[in-house]
Amino acid sequence: MQNDMLRRLVAEFLGTLWLVLGGCGSAVLSAAFPELGIGFVGVAFAFGLTVLTMAYAVGHISGGHFNPAVTLGLWSAGRCANKHVLPYIVVQVLGAVCAAAILWFIASGKAGWVPNGFASNGYGNLSPGQYSLGAAFVTELVLTFFFLLIIIGATSKGAATGFAGIPIGLGLTLIHLISIPVTNTSVNPARSTAPALFAGGEYIGQLWLFWLAPIAGAMIAGALGRLLYEPSTLIDTVIEEQRSASPDPGD
């Protein structure tokens, strides 16, 4: 049992590390590289590809959450055991911070490098497009809601087996294409926390939103997903009782 938990935690640590290193790394190192920058579209695909690749690499070990909001959303959906929730969140944050440290070391190897926001998330004057707190909150809540709905639906009974990583990765790509100008895209509290710790100042002061909004959106999606894809025993019982009470057409 302990060995199983260790394997799960290592998988979540490595998956989150790769997500932050690949996604934030593309933003810090490649997005505006002179003449050959990958821009918003490239960064969006980088985030999607990190989830897609790690979903197949270690998703079968831990479930491939790589995100505290996903863990809590799946817990809300009845897909994550109580005993896994806190340990998963702890190693996800640690993996993200480790990735940010690696990225800082690499990026600072260039003479004259200026970290700026270091791919941190923000609203108001820290938003890439100067979007308000309210706009940022709604963006993060709604997009995380749909991200969890995609995850729950793609991994539900009846969905095509073996392909869940594809819609999940593409879903995260689409989310980034929509929201990079608004918040620099979080939908993941661990991803938000790690670069903010290195950027410091106001970025840390705004972290609360990038925990609250994604977690709220994820848990709402989890509750809805439980109803859509895995109806509770109570609902099944009510339906069965209604069928039993209905007159038989043959009578």
Side-chain angles (χ1 to χ4, degrees):
M1 186 67 74
Q2 289 181 340
N3 186 54
D4 176 66
M5 177 62 86
L6 179 61
R7 291 173 64 246
R8 286 173 174 272
L9 296 182
V10 170
E12 285 298 308
F13 176 87
L14 292 175
T16 313
L17 189 156
W18 183 238
L19 185 152
V20 174
L21 184 61
C24 293
S26 69
V28 171
L29 303 175
S30 306
F33 191 81
E35 298 180 12
L36 297 175
I38 61 175
F40 284 176
V41 173
V43 173
F45 272 100
F47 272 100
L49 289 171
T50 61
V51 170
L52 174 62
T53 51
M54 274 296 167
Y56 286 104
V58 299
H60 58 288
I61 298 174
S62 66
H65 299 188
F66 319 141
N67 180 340
V70 171
T71 295
L72 288 167
L74 292 177
W75 172 79
S76 176
R79 299 279 196 90
C80 181
N82 292 341
K83 65 181 180 179
H84 292 149
V85 174
L86 185 58
Y88 271 32
I89 291 173
V90 170
V91 298
Q92 288 159 0
V93 173
L94 290 175
V97 172
C98 184
I102 293 170
L103 179 57
W104 183 279
F105 180 82
I106 294 170
S108 62
K110 179 180 179 180
W113 175 69
V114 178
N116 294 317
F118 197 56
S120 299
N121 302 114
Y123 56 84
N125 65 325
L126 301 185
S127 160
Q130 307 290 293
Y131 285 84
S132 69
L133 185 157
F137 187 91
V138 170
T139 297
E140 291 292 328
L141 186 146
V142 171
L143 294 183
T144 311
F145 170 88
F146 278 102
F147 187 42
L148 262 292
L149 206 60
I150 292 167
I151 292 171
I152 294 167
T155 56
S156 291
K157 184 178 180 180
T161 58
F163 296 98
I166 297 173
I168 293 170
L170 290 176
L172 188 60
T173 299
L174 176 58
I175 285 168
H176 280 78
L177 289 173
I178 296 168
S179 60
I180 288 177
V182 183
T183 62
N184 216 21
T185 310
S186 171
V187 302
N188 183 337
R191 171 263 181 272
S192 296
T193 300
L197 292 177
F198 286 84
E202 290 182 272
Y203 289 102
I204 294 177
Q206 292 190 1
L207 261 180
W208 66 272
L209 184 144
F210 301 103
W211 278 84
L212 179 60
I215 288 173
M219 293 188 72
I220 294 169
L224 179 61
R226 185 191 288 255
L227 179 64
L228 284 176
Y229 303 107
E230 297 174 13
S232 67
T233 303
L234 176 60
I235 293 174
D236 288 341
T237 301
V238 171
I239 293 173
E240 188 60 36
E241 288 176 351
Q242 290 175 340
R243 286 175 178 169
S244 299
S246 300
D248 192 323
D251 290 346

